[in-house]
Every structure is written in C-alpha cells, then in structure tokens.
Amino acid sequence: MSAGAHELFAGVFARGAVVAELNDAAWLRALLDVEVALARVLARAGIVPESSAEAISSAAVPANISLADLAAGSGAAGNPVPALLEQIEARLPLAAVGALHRGATSQDIIDSALMLLSKRALAHVLADLDSAAGAAARLASQHRGSVMLGRTLLQVAVPITFGLKAAGWLWSLDDARARLAAVRAQLPVQYGGAAGTLAPLADRGAEVAQLLAAELGLSEAVLPWHTLRAPLLELAAACGIAAAALGKLARDVTLLAQNELAELSESVADRRGGSSTMPHKQNPIGSIAALGCTRRVPGLIATLFAAAEQEHERAAGAWHAEWETLTQLLTLLGSAASWIAEVLAGLSVDSERMRANFAAALDLPLSERLRSELAALVGRAPADLLLRAAIERAQRERLQLREVLARDADLCQALRDAGIGAVQLARLFDPDAYLGSSSQFIDRALAFHAARSPR
Amino acid sequence: MSAGAHELFAGVFARGAVVAELNDAAWLRALLDVEVALARVLARAGIVPESSAEAISSAAVPANISLADLAAGSGAAGNPVPALLEQIEARLPLAAVGALHRGATSQDIIDSALMLLSKRALAHVLADLDSAAGAAARLASQHRGSVMLGRTLLQVAVPITFGLKAAGWLWSLDDARARLAAVRAQLPVQYGGAAGTLAPLADRGAEVAQLLAAELGLSEAVLPWHTLRAPLLELAAACGIAAAALGKLARDVTLLAQNELAELSESVADRRGGSSTMPHKQNPIGSIAALGCTRRVPGLIATLFAAAEQEHERAAGAWHAEWETLTQLLTLLGSAASWIAEVLAGLSVDSERMRANFAAALDLPLSERLRSELAALVGRAPADLLLRAAIERAQRERLQLREVLARDADLCQALRDAGIGAVQLARLFDPDAYLGSSSQFIDRALAFHAARSPR
Amino acid sequence: MSAGAHELFAGVFARGAVVAELNDAAWLRALLDVEVALARVLARAGIVPESSAEAISSAAVPANISLADLAAGSGAAGNPVPALLEQIEARLPLAAVGALHRGATSQDIIDSALMLLSKRALAHVLADLDSAAGAAARLASQHRGSVMLGRTLLQVAVPITFGLKAAGWLWSLDDARARLAAVRAQLPVQYGGAAGTLAPLADRGAEVAQLLAAELGLSEAVLPWHTLRAPLLELAAACGIAAAALGKLARDVTLLAQNELAELSESVADRRGGSSTMPHKQNPIGSIAALGCTRRVPGLIATLFAAAEQEHERAAGAWHAEWETLTQLLTLLGSAASWIAEVLAGLSVDSERMRANFAAALDLPLSERLRSELAALVGRAPADLLLRAAIERAQRERLQLREVLARDADLCQALRDAGIGAVQLARLFDPDAYLGSSSQFIDRALAFHAARSPR
Amino acid sequence: MSAGAHELFAGVFARGAVVAELNDAAWLRALLDVEVALARVLARAGIVPESSAEAISSAAVPANISLADLAAGSGAAGNPVPALLEQIEARLPLAAVGALHRGATSQDIIDSALMLLSKRALAHVLADLDSAAGAAARLASQHRGSVMLGRTLLQVAVPITFGLKAAGWLWSLDDARARLAAVRAQLPVQYGGAAGTLAPLADRGAEVAQLLAAELGLSEAVLPWHTLRAPLLELAAACGIAAAALGKLARDVTLLAQNELAELSESVADRRGGSSTMPHKQNPIGSIAALGCTRRVPGLIATLFAAAEQEHERAAGAWHAEWETLTQLLTLLGSAASWIAEVLAGLSVDSERMRANFAAALDLPLSERLRSELAALVGRAPADLLLRAAIERAQRERLQLREVLARDADLCQALRDAGIGAVQLARLFDPDAYLGSSSQFIDRALAFHAARSPR
C-alpha cells in the first residue's frame, strides 16, 4: 500500500518508520478509528446505546473494508467516507446503523483522521530528529576544537570549528523538533457536522466534540474549522521548517564531501552510493536522497497555503487538494529525517583534512584579523594597501601570507618597533586563537539540546 | 500499483486511462523498454552482438523483476537502475552482460523512461482534452443564442451568451491540446553516459543516440541534457497550462451550479455527488474533483522549476526531486482531463434559467448601453446623473430599469423629441441586440477547433 | 520610495500604515539603526570609546546617505552594506572609523534590519487584525440569530447563522494575530561576524550580541543563524497563515455579495468599486483587492522555504532572494489586513435577504433533519425513498418540501399515528430550531477574542 | 520610479536595460499607448472622428498624468485605469470624450499594456541572452580541448572538456532565447469590452480588435482571453525556463569558483565582490546575484499558475495578482540575464588548474574505462575485484591508479600477455583519449547557435 509514493522509488522517498503511518492502510485505520471513537463517546454521553457503539467497534475494522470499493466510491462522492460508511453499515445490525457517523459530515472524519495520522507519523519524525540531534550533539562536542575553513558565498572566509558547524545543525534540529512537538500536541479534532452547527445533536454538539477530542488524543478546537485551515497550515509550516533544517544540513554534507574538500564522508558500511559504471564512486547518497526529499517540500507548502482560501462552510476542490499533499509532505519529511539520522550516525569527519585545507588557504582566512591589527599599528589606509599587495603576492606565488610578510623588511621593522616579535606574529596566524565565541556558542547549543531532550 | 496516489483517493486523483501509464508497472515497463531499445540499436550499429541484444530483450521483461528489490535498491544507490541491472544481469548469459546498459548512466535510463512515460500518458490526456473540446464545441454551437448574464468580479456585468462562454472554454482546451501535442512530439531521448561524453562508445555516441531516439519514438537532443532541464520544464509548463484551462472551466461550472444561479448542473446519471446525510444534495462532483486535481498543480510546477538549478554534470537531489513530481503532475492533469471530459459530455444547461436570471437583474446589465445612448442624446454628465438616479430607484423598488425610465415624464419627452419611440426604446433593453461580436468569436473558436482536430 | 510595489498599483497592493515601515526609507533607517545600536553597545561594553559611538550616531543618519549610491553599491558588493559603510565613514572622524561595524558582517546588519523592519511593520498589521477582529466580534454578536444558508461545495447545505460565520472569521483573525504577536516577540538579532564566531571580539562576542538584542528590542538567538533560517521561516509562515485567514474571509464576502445572493455588500461610502463603463456596478473592491494581495502570498512563501537550503556559513544567492521577498510578503499582508479591517467595519449585512434566500431553498436545507426524524418513524430505507421522491417533486414543482409532504395523505396519516401533529411538523421546518451548538460556538469565539484582546 | 524592486537593492535585482521598460513610467507609457492606439484605429475604422483620435493622442501623454492620483485611484477602483481616464478626459475637448476607451474595459487596457511592456522588456532580455550565448559559443570553441573533471552528484566522475560544459550552457541559452522570441512574437492584444462581446461596437468589434493588434505590434487572439490566461502562462513559463538556464549556469560558476577548485573566476575589473572586512575575498558576485534573482522565479510562476483559475468573465483577485508578479518575473529575468552576459564576457578560465585538478584525482576518473578494458581481458568479476583493490590502495596511499597497477606484477604480465604494452596502457590513462562525442556535441551546439543567431 502506497504512501503517495511509487514503490519503485520508495527507498529514496518513502523511508523509515513514518511510512507505515501514512499509507493506505494507515489512512483506513485512522478513518475507522474516528468513526469508532465517535460512536463510543456518543454512547458515553448517552446519545446512542452502548450496544450500538459496540457493534460499530466490531464492524468498523480494516478487515471488513475493501480498498478498491473505497477507491471507486471516492470518485462517486468526491471522498471515500460515504463508501466507507456503506461498507460498515453492511456489517451492522439495523439497530446500530443510526449510531454510526452521528452528527458528522465526511469532512469531520477525514480531517480528524488526517490529524490522527499526522500525530502518529510525527512520533516517528520526532524520534528521527531526536536521534539526529543526538549525533549532532556528539559531533559538536567532539569537534569543538577541529579547526576548519568557514566558507561564505562558497568562498574561503575565516576559521571556524567543525564543532561550531555541528552546533548550528544541532540547534536547528532541536528547534525544529520542539516546534513540531508543540504543534503535534495541539492537533485539533474536527467535528462540526454538515455546516459546523452540529445541529443533529441539538445542544450537545460542543460537549460531544470535547469528548471526541479526548478519546482520540487530539485537542479541542474553539469551533469547527472546516474552512478555517490555520491548524493544518501551522502543521505544514512546522514540517517545512524541519525539512529546511534537514536540507541545509544535507547540502553542507554534500559540499564538504566534494572530493576536492573531502572533509566529510558518509559511512560506506553497505557499499551504498556506488555507481554501476564508475567503480571509484562513493556518492554521499544519504544526503543526496534527503535533498531529493526536501526539495519537494516548498511546492507542497505553497499548495497548502494556496488551498486555504476555502469557500463558505466547505470548499469545492481546495479541501480535497490537501489530503494527499499533506500526507506526502509528512512522508517526505519523515524520509529525510530518517536519512539524516543515519547520515549523522555514520558521518566520518576528517579533521586532519580540515586542517590541511585550512593550511592550503595561504593564511588568507586570517586576513581579517591581520587587517585589524595592522590598522591599529600603521593606520587603516596604509594597512589596507600593504595587505592587498601582500595578498596578491601570496596568491600569485602560492606563499603563505606569513611568509610574504616576513619577506617585507620595512614591515618587519615596523612590527618590531611596535613590539610585535616573532611569537606575537605567529599568534596572529594561529586559527585556534581566532575562534571568538565559537566554544560559547557550542555550549549554548548543547544546553538548548539538553533542555529539550525527551529524557 | 500506485501512480503516486493513495488508492483510497484514487477515484478523485488517479482517474482515467492515464493512470495505467504512470504507475509502478508503467515506470518499470518504460525503464525496461529503454534498456532493451539501447541494446537493439547497439546491435544494429554493430557495437554489440545481435545475440546479446536478443538475450537482453528476453531477460529485461517485467516478469523477471521484483519491485520490492527495486525499492530496496533505490535506497542503496539513490535510484532504482543499478538494482534493475542486477536483476536483468542475473538472467543473462555471461556473454551478453557487457552489452547491457552500454555507455549509459542511470540518468540516461530514468530520463528517457520518464519521457517515454510522458509520451504514453499524454496520448490519453490528449484524447480526453479532445473529447472535452468536442463537447465544448457542441455547447458553443447549440447555445450561440442562449443569452445569460456576463459576470465580472463576481458581479452582474453585461449580456453574453452561453455559447460565447463555451467558445472560450473550447479555445482554451484546443490551445492546451495543441501545445501539449507539440511538446509531446519533441520529447527528447537522454543518452550521454556518466558525464555527457558517451566516452565508452568512442566516437560513435552521437550516432547511437540518434538511433536510440528513433527506436523509442523520441526526438534527438542537441546534446545530453542531464543538467539542462528545459525539455522537462517545457513539458511541465504545457501540463500546467492545460490544467489551468481545466481548472477555470471547472470553477465556472461550480459557480454556475450554485443553487441561487442554477444555470448549469452536472449529469446525475449515477447518483454521483450525493451526501451521506443531506438527501437533497447534488454536488457538481466532477468539477469539484477536477479542481481538487488542478489546485495541486502550481506547487508541483514550482518544485520542478526550482529543481532546474542543477549542479555540474548531475544534480545532487534536484534531479531526484523531479521523478515523482512530474509523474504526479501528469496523473493529476490526466485525472482532471478525464473528469472534465465527462462533465462536459453530461452538462445540463438550463437556458431558461439563464434568461430568468438575466431578467431578475432589472435591466441593469444594459446600463452600459443605455449610458452610451443617453449620453449621445443629452450629454454625458446629465446622462450619468439621470441614469444613476434611475438605477438607484430600480434597485430600491425592485423595478426593471425600463419601467423606471418609463415613469420619468421628462425623459420620455426628451426621448420622443429625439425620435426614440417605444420600439427603439424596447430594443435598447433587448439583450439579444447587445451581443456585439459574440457570434463571430464563437465562429472563430469553432474554426480554430476544426483546424486542430485530430481528424 | 517603494515597498517593492509599483506606485501605479500602490492603492491596491501597498496600502495602510505598514507601507511606511517597509519602503526604501524604512530599510535605510533600519540598517542605520543596527549600525548605531552596535556602536552604542560596544561602547557600553567598553570595547570602543563612547566618543566613537557618539560620532557614529551622528553620522549614521538617513540625511547623510544617498540611496542612489546604495543602489549602485549593492550591485558591486552584492548587498548595500559596504556602500552604506563607505558613506558613513566619509562623515566620521578617523578615530571613530574603527568602531563602526565592529565584529559585524554585512549579513548581520541586513538580517537584524530585516527583523527590526518586520517588528515595526507587524505592529501595524496587528493593529489592523485587531480592528478587523473587533468588527467580526460585533458581527458575531449582532447576528447570532440571523439565520442563513450554510453552503458546502458551493451548494445549499443546512441552516447556520451569520453570527456563526462571523465567529469563524473572528477566531481565525484572533488566532492569526496571536501567532504573529508571539513570533514578533521572538524575532532574533543577527550578530555573528564573518562566519559566526565573532572572532574580532575575542571572547566577548556572545555578550555583545546579548546587549545588541536588548538595545534593538529583539531577542537573542542561541547562536548566529546566518544559514539556519528557521526564524525567518517561522515569521513567513505566521504571515502566510494570517494572509490565509484574510483571504478566506474576502472570498466569503465576494461570494455572498454576488447579485444573486446579495447577503453582504461592502460600504459604498466613497463610490468605491464603480466601473468606468457600467453605471450599475458596485464591486466589493475591498475584498477583491485583499484577494489580489493574498493570492500572491503562497508563491512568496515557497520562495522563502526553498531558499532556506543555505550553504556553509553564508549562502550564495538563497540569502539574497529573501530580502525583497519577505518585505513584499509583509507589504501584501499589511495591505490585505488594512483592506479587511475596512471591509468589516463597513460591511452591510442583509439579514432579511438571508432569510429570503433560505426560504427560496424550498425547505431542502432541512432534509437532513427530516431524514433523521422520518427514519426513526418509518425506518431508514423507507424514509430515504419517501424523502427522495418528495425532494424531486419539490424541485420539479418549486414547492416547499413541507407542502409536498402535506399533500402526501399516507405520510400525513403515518405522522399523525406517530403523534406528530401540525405543530411538531412545523417545528421540523423551523431553521431556528436546527442550529445546534451555533450559539455556543459563537460564545467560545467571543471568549477567545476577549482573552486575546490587547486591552 | 520602481520596477517592483527596492531602490536599495536595485543593483542586484533591477539591473540592465530591462528595468526602464518595467517601472512605473513604462507601465504608464504602455497604458497610454493602448488608449491612444485604440482611438487611432477607431478613427481609421470610421467609428470615431479623426479629430477625436488626435485630441486623445495629444492629451494621453505621461506629462499630463499624476502618478499619485493613479495610486489613489487604483485603490478606489481596484485598478488604475478609471483614474487614468479621468485625468485624460480632463484634458480632452468634450467632443472627443466619447472616443476615449471606446468599447473597452479596464482589463483590456491593462492586459494589452502588460503584453506591450513584456514585448519591450523581452527585447532587452533577448539581447542579453544573445550576448551571453555569444560568449558561451566562444568558450565552447576555445576550450574544446580543455580537459576537466566531469562531476556528478558533486563527486568526481569522468573526464569532460570545459568546451563541452560551455556548449551545454550555450544550447540552454539559445533554446531559452528561441522560446522567448517565439512567445514574444505571439503576445496577443486584449480587447473584449466589459464581458468579452465588444457589444458597444455592434458587429465591428472583431475588426477593431484586429486593427488594434496591428497598431500595437501584438498578435490577434481567437477571442478575448480575459479569464483564459494561457497567453500569460506561456510567457511566464518561457521566462521561467530562461531563468532556469541562467540559474544552472550561475550555480556551475559558483561551484567551479570555490577556492578548492578555482577553475573559474569572475572578472575582477572593478573590484567587485570584495568584502568590507575580509581583504582577501573575491566573491563571484555576478553569479551570486544572478542566483539571487533566479531563486525568486519559481514562486512567482506558482503564483501565476495558481491565479489562472479565474471566475466567469473577470476574476475577483486572481487577475489583480498577476500585474506586479509578471512585472517582477520579467525584472528578475532581465537582471539575471544582464548579470550572466557580463559574467560570461569576463569569465576567467584556468585550464591549467582544470588539468591539475584532474591529475589530483589519481586517475580515478578513468576507472570506468579501465573497468571495461580489464573486463574484456580477464572477465568482469575478476576485473571488478582487481580494480576495487587498486582503487582502495590508490586512495589510501595517494597514488595514481596507473602507479598502483604498475606495481602489480601479475597484472602487468597479464596485460603484456594480452599484448597491452606500456604505450597502450598509458593511453588508457589519457583523458584526452576518453572524451567520446564531446567534440561532436560542441559542434552541434555551435551549429544550433549559428542557426538561431539574430543575424
């Protein structure tokens, strides 16, 4: 059974525990769960006989339902609920029929099922984000002192540590997880009847809605939100923000895994990422697959936001457009989270190569520092002139900047005059001495993580 | 087997003949077709033995392939082709293995298969658009004289005919069909090898690419387009424009089917569109479902356009994001086309109700005409004053504008003085006499249709 | 000065108080505010001399800056900050130059300015949402008993009240306002230097970042978020959800203002919404313009979510894509909020017409109730048969359902036998007696509103 | 005057000749051009006096129009045309007033102006694409033999030439240019009157529409396309495909300009791309800015496709959403084209570094070839085993693959036995001998270019 994905590509786009909560079977289960829960709370409220609720509980089980009939029925009615009811009714004693779907409209069932489905799927997403965050936290700690090139606009900038980079990933994973968990805890039940009045229940509708929410473990809405889609948009946005965090991380891995950089590589445990024709290939498939997932998210989010302009008491088309779109969004997010959890768990960090790449940058990543020190010494404009000339020579002759400066007799004298000897000069070129608040930022991300960890 | 849709909702979103060309089985068939075609043309070119090509033709059949293994393999390699090759190879004599997938990279197979799939799916889309256009042409002819309210900004404007509206639908369907057919005829094969040089074929790559295109009924590209995605974007855009035409039409039907307008209704042949709780309901399900499909299209298009920024010789993630997205776009377009073909075939047009609604508009839709005539008579400013007062009275007292004017003695005298008697005045209020070029436009749309019809 | 809108269309898309916080002047002000605030807190921390901070405060004022030079400079550097610094420096005493922009990178200034800008703009958006919610609350109270047709899938459904509809609008406005206010209160400062280490400040970076946040009235981030864009996405999503609430409301108004429904109309105070050629026209321009704004939002949101995949320590292009996109999103949201505040303040509700439209629906909106009552009486299947026949006759002969039933002698007898006399029967057709929990839901929305109102 | 961009960021996002065709002044000019052209052709058709047309030509000039009044008026009417007409009328002799805007509705003027604007703007876009294509053609020719690493999934693949890469860029630029030119040649006039009948012109509407198209240099539509938006979508799609071509190219440049690759760099003519704090920085600003533009395009395209679902005879909001969106799309495309034309003109190609990077890849890019040759020699499975071991050793010991193999005595003997001596073996490691059809593909792209060049 599909989760809106092709079986053929399922290894990439329908991956991890989340899939079993989003496929046809899961949808069916959720729809049935809502009908059964409704019958139960109606019985509890004394509105329908307990025996009817029991009959419905027995009849409304997946084994009794033909998916093919639902497929056909969804075409006839525009949604699968009427066909579902028909199949359940066929298994019910006549006396219980009136207790089924009482007060409800198809949208109540589908929206509530979608919230239930989302709640179940997000449990797995949160677990994978948690696992990824755990790995990121370990990387941030272990590589607190692993100096590497900071790169801006895809160009060498100033020194950072890999620990700081991992701390950034960590914070964004934890932040995404916290937001998703908060949204998950507030997913509301839908129960409003044909047009949001719950008229068939006379004045007891709101009460039953409250019971239903509790029964399903969902929250209660202020009023039926058939065409007021903020709950769904908030969920979609939280998914999108989590996907963005995963996508940024995956992009970093693919860039740092470029052969010319070779600072990171994915685990090669299972020969993953090979090519059928190029035996040397070791592609960072986990990150690439995660990007394949996350790149599909913004378009789905646009669909959901555009669909939120819904007419009157039920939308003609816009509502329908949400079902598979949200299910896919969750599937893609879950797959990406599963990929990244695995990528981080097996990530191979080559801190020697990071140092080597830094060294190959000819001290240029320290030009910012040098500029500031020289400006204090000789004035801003002369410092800029001097430095520009030195940088050009360093690049032209492939020399470290420190060597170029050492060859400038005037400058050396000026430095000595200013009391800057060899030791102080060497320190200017020491990246470990130019890391600013990196370590503090790592600590803050770790503290944020510790405060938000499930246990 | 899924076409990227849930079985549960297939009746709405995976409908019509197109689905069988876009599901897992169709994808598998297309992948195999490309591998087989490649082996055949390599044999024809004398590059591999004929016997190898025959062995590949025999081995590379769906019955030999396990979809579950492809699913697993797509996770390991990032795409299903290596696992597919493995399964084919297992069925090949050793001597034939070297002829399989010769010169090709996974992307060659997937991109070519996607083009093949699109070509096959579009045949059905074109047929449904053709059928819808045929129905629209009939409506345009039959209702050439069916006066109805033109409505702008959801407000009553001036008279039109339903024939003119149908002619607009017709043109947009024919235009969409022509564009899709043109794109379909140019879908290019992909064959470039690992990085677009076809180096394993020495200097014969371009020649084999040409043969492969011919064998598959695809066109030949100027060069491999692994990361130059214009062909795919052009296809996506043509699909999107067709979906937009269908969506506009469906929106019109839902609006004109509002109970308060009741000018159109969908066929009730099969009791479709009923509600499980409201027995009076007769929802225009075909149009609603079509809107459910078309509303999902712009987001998918955004995904494809955003994914077109592809790195170097193969993209890390962006390429992957295309596969299911394009397949879904085609599925949704095909479903919408199927829905609309059926909607138009069974559309019930209540031209009496159109006239009645027109009459209920108190002659106001003719105020534009009246203003122009009165301005010529009494000057623009006085005409505006007079007309505004008359319109306010008409609305306040629910009188036809003609009655209001008839009660204005001064105006009547002025009209008589200007030689405008009762007959001429009546004509000013005759919507059939204020249809301008409607009939000509209908003729032009019909001529455009006739010129573009398949036969 | 533009807010990313054409002057020509400013009346539609750049409306309300928000515009003055989002145009070029506002951007310039915000950029300067950040540079000045940074200098001040550096002085407070004893890192730069107080006199330098004072000099920067005096020099970094809009009057000293040429916008044209910034425009040119943004082309040369890829952003306007270097050119801004050059212009400020030109006005600074040499001694103060070193205190300017200390530790910062261009992105620190632009991101912080964007947060500042957003904070200022959102104040106006919140005020307009507040005003709109106030009007919606009044409508919900006043029209608690105004029965109207509930409409689902653009078809007549069951009775609701206009008060309930307004309560739905109210909740969605209040919910959007609360979310935006929460996000607004957490907008973080950006201050990380070239690659997020704040190395030029040695170990005092985090401390200065905290001071800077306080000085600007922004929150402090866990660490620099140069390429971790969750804060921006959360803001964008909250804007999008608010825009969706406004769009849904505007769509309802345009639909209910259709001449054939005529249940709502916008204020005609200023002759707004007239046509240049059709004197009878009174378009609901406020709602149409609001829709013009809100329809542009989902695409911008997709852009921002797609742009969140940012490379390394600063993105090459993706970051740049955010600046105008977010500014436009805020402008469009602000304009839509301004439109809807005005629309609701002047909304004309025709509750008589609502009743009349209800009456014109031939009692069909009560068929749900009738079905349930009849099923209890005669059994479900017979009730359905009977009712279907009655409905068909009602529609065919344009009779109220109650009249059709009254003409069915057998049914009348059965009803009498069941003790259902004329009074009880009449009550079944009384929409006021079939409103369920409407009043409770209105109360809940009003309570939610009261609890969240600014005062 | 703005082109929907902030002055502050104009250097990045509103660049090149295109801007002057898309700003407020250009919009105003286009609106006036349409009104004047309409008056002229009405005179030519004998429908209005020649003198009226002349009066309109004299009055309808930019100098007579207050943009601020249009801004205000666009708020009152929902679009600027009524306010524009008011200002023109104020300058007209009374006798000429009736000839102004005859038969037209506001949408006729705005849509036709938008087509005119697009036509004018595209002339500059085409010129920039042409210039970029010219530069790409030169690069393709000059670097036909410049061997470099082909890179797939951001990993080293097989040898290509920079000429082949440039040929790919070239084809995509030429293809985009050809598509845009074709769309530009077919941009249709809009002229349908209030609801598409042109009733005020009696039976002469279609004739006048034809004259108007000719007068404005636009094409004639089959019928008014007020709510049939295919022409606009086709334009948007062609713009989007061109933007995608530019974005891909810019992405390649930023990746190849990474310091660790350093194969390409942008011209440093004007010190562009420097950093305010890091003196060594030389960012590829042209490509980055182009990406900043192109990244904003897919969202705008989604907006336009979503807006194409337009109601009845004029849309309430969806139409309005198009104006600035399309103008921005053109502005961003034009800016990106201008950036890339400049980038390619000044692109610095370091073919020695390309060779050096190739050499640093340890012969691995030739493993595909080697595998095929060895398989022929020793069988597929043994070849794979042997090669995998050799690759691992090459990577571990940082040896060229050829050296590893030379140290394998058994293999050397086997090769010698098979008649493969040192010369033949060396040839297997010569990337120039493994370029397949590269040169042919370059020739085809050059031929495609020559055939499509303006002259």
Side-chain angles (χ1 to χ4, degrees), chain B residues 151-157 251 257-260 271 276-277 279-281 283 364 367-368 371 388, chain C residues 151-157 251 257-260 271 276-277 279-281 283 364 367-368 371 388:
Chain B
R151 295 173 177 97
T152 58
L153 307 173
L154 290 173
Q155 294 286 306
V156 159
R251 175 53 58 195
Q258 290 173 99
N259 305 73
E260 293 86 352
R271 280 270 176 80
S276 62
T277 60
H280 69 280
K281 267 276 199 169
N283 297 313
L364 298 181
S367 74
E368 178 191 52
R371 181 189 186 224
R388 206 180 307 273
Chain C
R151 293 174 177 97
T152 57
L153 306 172
L154 290 172
Q155 294 287 306
V156 160
R251 174 54 58 196
Q258 290 174 100
N259 305 73
E260 292 86 353
R271 281 270 175 80
S276 62
T277 60
H280 69 278
K281 267 276 199 168
N283 298 314
L364 298 181
S367 73
E368 178 192 52
R371 182 187 185 227
R388 207 180 308 272

Side-chain angles (χ1 to χ4, degrees), chain A residues 175 179 241, chain C residues 179-180 183 186 229-239 305:
Chain A
D175 170 73
R179 186 180 296 100
I241 296 176
Chain C
R179 186 180 297 100
L180 271 176
V183 170
Q186 291 301 322
R229 309 307 280 172
L232 197 134
L233 295 185
E234 188 154 42
L235 168 58
C239 289
F305 274 82

